[in-house]
């Protein structure tokens, strides 16, 4: 099949690789209907994570089941499915505790930006729609495979509550979905920290009541001015690097929780600040499957429309252009069509 | 008055110092009826925290109001009061968010191991009993000024829930009170990690269903053997140093929360582990006043008896012996009587 392969920093190629095959009875092969590029794909793209040898890349997709292993009970060829980027059995102690992303049988989609993707733990991981969904719903359904579920996890982990206040650090697609999640979960004030006009605009469409363009100390002041002199009840850290972590803790009020979902890169938890201000830190890799049934219904009912994060659609064979656009921040998030 | 003064590492003297005086209208002076030595007093005692110049020490006490400032409305001389080690106004945004220990008008008891103590924010901080309590209740009431409220905070921050499992790291007085809190809050399994027979025994009296003497990798194995192969739903970190933090995260199941209340010393939050396992970290300086009304009632109703942590009582002028006993771990916690 043709698949996206990363060979090294800024070296993305769409090329022939072996087709994925059923390895275990719990596996399924999905023919990719749409996929996309994740902010975390930029870590190896930028060389921040080393690429030791060339490998397929891309972990977000949805599509049609092509083949299932002998142990798969709930899915069969032809089913239209959303593929959570993190596969899980949905039955182990971690899954039962809501930590599907630490499943005893954890797996990950490895060729989402390709013609076919292997899903380990198909029964535990996948959710299906009744037939092929309306085309205009595809972007929002695709967003559920990672970015929307991740933004939602940030909001849940941060303890967003009805009538409370939320501050979102990071205006990437995850941060924007965090805004949507915080608003949907009932936060009365949702502050998006963003410096980019198109992202600010989308944040407002997603329910941000305020946008703060300043960062650092000025950003803290601006947030507190909005919130009557205090920080946020819930803070969503949607980047993962040091400055974002620092910003997040500085805009959190005493007793707040920072929900973090960005892969930590050079970040540290400020233990002394957390101790003196009673600011908690919770989150991690999004347990996508935990939220998927609920989020799927919200999309199908057209209550939420996270697919708006896609502002560039490319044919899959132009995937390298997609990486470039996201790296240069000319696109928020790129949708790829085989 | 006579007060306990620390001059440097292992140099504790009971000596004459100026009486505390009302500085602000919100202040009160309390005549100390009983006080005690905290595990955190051992940091400067052992030289782990520097003592730049001699100063009074001791932040846990209860007693009788001697004098109040002109702005104090709810207390008057003669009231018998429990003094939270951390003073707060109980009205600022931090207090309203349950983070009384980050109060805008934060203060701390500075001469608890003395004849008199100054309480800033008397109205916000103090709670009183109806008259002088029975003598046998005094140790448990005294424990509410810090240690019991701190153990309770660890349990609350860790999210101990009815029917869940809890693991307590640290068998100091705070850890033991954490056991009591976890049991009272309904944890079905409470594992105390303790190597010392008298502390193990007290842990069991406080509600531990299991005691694990092993540490490190063996400790993790022992905990998981008890819990059916997984870590605890809630983990109480009641020490604050690096090995205790490490132990705490290793006995936490994916999706768990570590509640931490020990002053961090050489500890780090293991961000990558937290991220991959979705283990949260919450807690900090105990917001004592937040819990005080509830805990006071539990003690007065003789439902909980945290005063059992005191296994050595000394006259206040022998305070140096008390520090020695706690440093050498021949006493769990020392009660001092003027």
């Amino acid at each position: 099949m043709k698949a996206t392969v990363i060979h090294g920093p800024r070296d993305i190629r769409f090329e022939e690789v072996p087709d994925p095959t059923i390895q275990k009875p719990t596996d399924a092969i999905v023919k990719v209907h749409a996929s996309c590029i994740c902010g975390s794909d930029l870590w190896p793209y930028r060389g921040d994570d080393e690429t030791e040898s060339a490998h397929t890349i891309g972990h977000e997709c949805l599509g049609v089941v092509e083949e299932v292993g002998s142990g798969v009970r709930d899915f069969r060829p032809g089913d239209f499915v959303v593929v959570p980027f993190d596969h899980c059995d949905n039955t182990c102690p971690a899954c039962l505790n809501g930590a599907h992303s630490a499943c005893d049988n954890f797996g990950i989609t490895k060729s989402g930006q390709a013609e076919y993707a292997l899903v380990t733990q198909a029964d535990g991981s996948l959710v299906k729609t009744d037939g092929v969904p309306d085309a205009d719903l595809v972007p929002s359904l695709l967003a559920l495979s990672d970015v929307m579920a991740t933004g939602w996890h940030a909001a849940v982990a941060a303890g967003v509550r009805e009538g409370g206040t939320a501050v979102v650090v990071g205006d990437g697609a995850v941060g924007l979905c965090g805004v949507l999640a915080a608003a949907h979960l009932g936060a009365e004030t949702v502050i998006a920290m963003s410096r980019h006009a198109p992202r600010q605009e989308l944040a407002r469409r997603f329910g941000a009541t305020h946008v703060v363009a300043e960062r650092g100390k000025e950003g803290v002041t601006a947030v507190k001015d909005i919130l009557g002199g205090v920080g946020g009840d819930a803070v969503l850290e949607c980047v993962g690097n040091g400055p974002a972590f620092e910003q997040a803790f500085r805009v959190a009020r005493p007793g707040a929780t920072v929900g973090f979902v960005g892969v930590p890169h050079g970040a540290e938890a400020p233990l002394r600040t957390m101790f003196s201000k009673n600011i908690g830190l919770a989150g991690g890799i999004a347990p996508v499957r935990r939220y998927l049934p609920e989020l799927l219904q919200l999309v199908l009912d057209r209550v939420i429309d996270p697919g708006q994060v896609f502002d560039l659609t490319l044919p899959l064979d132009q995937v390298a252009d997609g990486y470039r656009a996201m790296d240069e921040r000319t696109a928020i998030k790129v949708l790829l069509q085989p």
Side-chain angles (χ1 to χ4, degrees), chain A residues 37-44 46 59-60 173-174 326 332-333:
Chain A
I37 302 171
C38 181
S40 69
D41 292 333
L42 297 181
W43 293 115
R46 290 170 173 162
H59 55 262
E60 298 170 272
V174 170
M326 281 185 58
I332 296 175
K333 196 168 173 77

Side-chain angles (χ1 to χ4, degrees), chain A residues 4-18:
Chain A
T4 304
V5 175
I6 183 164
H7 287 259
R10 293 189 165 73
D11 186 358
I12 294 286
R13 305 179 202 170
F14 189 63
E15 61 191 17
E16 196 67 30
V17 301

Side-chain angles (χ1 to χ4, degrees), chain A residues 73-225:
Chain A
R73 299 175 317 269
D74 301 337
F75 297 89
R76 54 184 183 179
D79 285 341
F80 193 94
V81 291
V82 177
V83 182
F85 79 92
D86 45 359
H87 314 158
C88 59
D89 58 26
N90 207 15
T91 57
C92 78
C95 287
L96 294 179
N97 204 31
H100 300 65
S101 43
C103 174
D104 287 349
N105 289 296
F106 180 79
I108 207 154
T109 303
K110 289 180 179 163
S111 62
Q113 297 156 2
E115 291 180 286
Y116 295 95
L118 174 68
V119 183
T120 62
Q121 302 299 327
D123 277 336
S125 307
L126 298 172
V127 293
K128 61 185 159 191
T129 58
D130 288 336
V132 178
D134 294 343
D136 69 322
L137 284 176
V138 167
S140 288
L141 292 171
L142 174 61
L144 304 186
S145 71
D146 182 348
V147 63
M148 181 60 208
T150 296
W152 189 269
H153 187 48
V156 170
V160 170
R161 60 177 186 266
E162 192 88 29
T165 65
V167 184
V168 181
V169 176
D171 63 359
V174 170
L176 293 165
C177 286
V179 168
L180 178 55
H184 184 80
L185 290 167
E188 198 170 85
T189 305
V190 180
I191 302 175
M193 300 193 77
S194 170
R195 293 194 292 192
H196 305 83
R199 294 162 192 251
Q200 293 176 341
E201 191 195 318
L202 183 50
R204 289 194 187 275
R205 285 211 301 277
F206 275 171
T209 55
H210 302 77
V211 168
V212 164
E214 296 85 352
R215 294 188 182 186
K217 193 178 169 186
E218 290 70 29
V220 177
T221 302
V223 166
K224 290 190 174 174
D225 281 351

